[in-house]
Amino acid sequence: MSERLEWRALYGTRQTLFVEGIGVGDYYRAPVDVYRVRLWSEDRLQGGRERLVLSEDAARQMLVGMLERARGESAA
């Protein structure tokens, strides 16, 4: 991905992914040792695709991968 990606802590401990200055999704630790990853629907801060993963590194990788897959599907 050649675009500028930036992570910011918003809404407490939730890490939000910004692409070229626009928020596209977030992840946060659930009450147990699981991270909830969310890729928002276009023009929304809720809804969209969601996954659960077991580590913070996996959460970051998952969110970037979800964004890439969603862009590939919309281009097809």
Side-chain angles (χ1 to χ4, degrees), residues 62-73:
M62 177 62 68
L63 186 51
V64 172
M66 290 166 70
L67 177 62
E68 290 173 344
R69 285 189 300 279
R71 287 182 168 176
E73 290 169 5

Side-chain angles (χ1 to χ4, degrees), residues 3 12 15 29 31 33 46 57 59 64:
E3 297 162 304
Q15 291 291 316
R29 186 174 173 186
D33 290 336
Q46 295 182 25
D57 286 339
V64 172

Side-chain angles (χ1 to χ4, degrees), residues 8-65:
R8 295 274 179 107
L10 298 178
Y11 310 114
T13 60
R14 293 182 187 196
Q15 291 291 316
T16 302
L17 175 60
F18 287 82
V19 178
E20 300 295 332
I22 299 171
V24 297
D26 66 0
Y27 73 86
Y28 60 94
R29 186 174 173 186
V32 294
D33 290 336
V34 173
Y35 289 82
R36 183 176 181 182
V37 182
R38 305 181 307 171
L39 178 67
W40 302 323
S41 300
E42 190 171 345
D43 298 327
R44 299 207 55 200
L45 292 179
Q46 295 182 25
R49 299 170 186 218
E50 297 187 33
R51 298 296 298 252
L52 297 176
V53 298
L54 297 177
S55 73
E56 187 169 3
D57 286 339
R60 284 182 182 242
Q61 292 173 11
M62 177 62 68
L63 186 51
V64 172

